[in-house]
Amino acid sequence: MGGVQKTTDFLDKSTWTLATILIVLILLSSLSFSGSLSDANSKIIDEKEMVAPKSSATPVPAKPVETPKK
């Protein structure tokens, strides 16, 4: 049916196939992160973060909490 030699050949071919598929998927995912759409979106987010609303209220310092003495 299938001997040791065929099992070794199958494992060898499947290992190289899976490794090749993994490398291709990694390259495709890195291209999708550096594409023009994701780059434009990050610039819009960065511009919104740079503009901070001005507040007219002045901050009030917090009152320290005192612990009761025994």
Side-chain angles (χ1 to χ4, degrees):
M1 190 135 215
V4 174
Q5 183 64 37
K6 287 187 178 184
T7 303
T8 305
D9 289 340
F10 171 75
L11 289 174
D12 186 44
K13 289 178 184 178
S14 62
T15 300
W16 282 108
T17 303
L18 291 174
T20 305
I21 291 171
L22 184 63
I23 290 172
V24 168
L25 289 174
I26 289 170
L27 291 174
L28 287 175
S29 68
S30 69
L31 289 176
S32 69
F33 285 123
S34 65
S36 62
L37 290 176
S38 63
D39 192 26
N41 290 339
S42 66
K43 288 179 183 175
I44 292 172
I45 292 171
D46 291 340
E47 288 174 5
K48 288 181 182 179
E49 289 178 355
M50 290 178 67
V51 178
K54 294 186 178 182
S55 175
S56 61
T58 57
V60 178
K63 186 177 180 181
V65 177
E66 295 180 16
T67 57
K69 295 182 181 180
K70 291 184 179 180

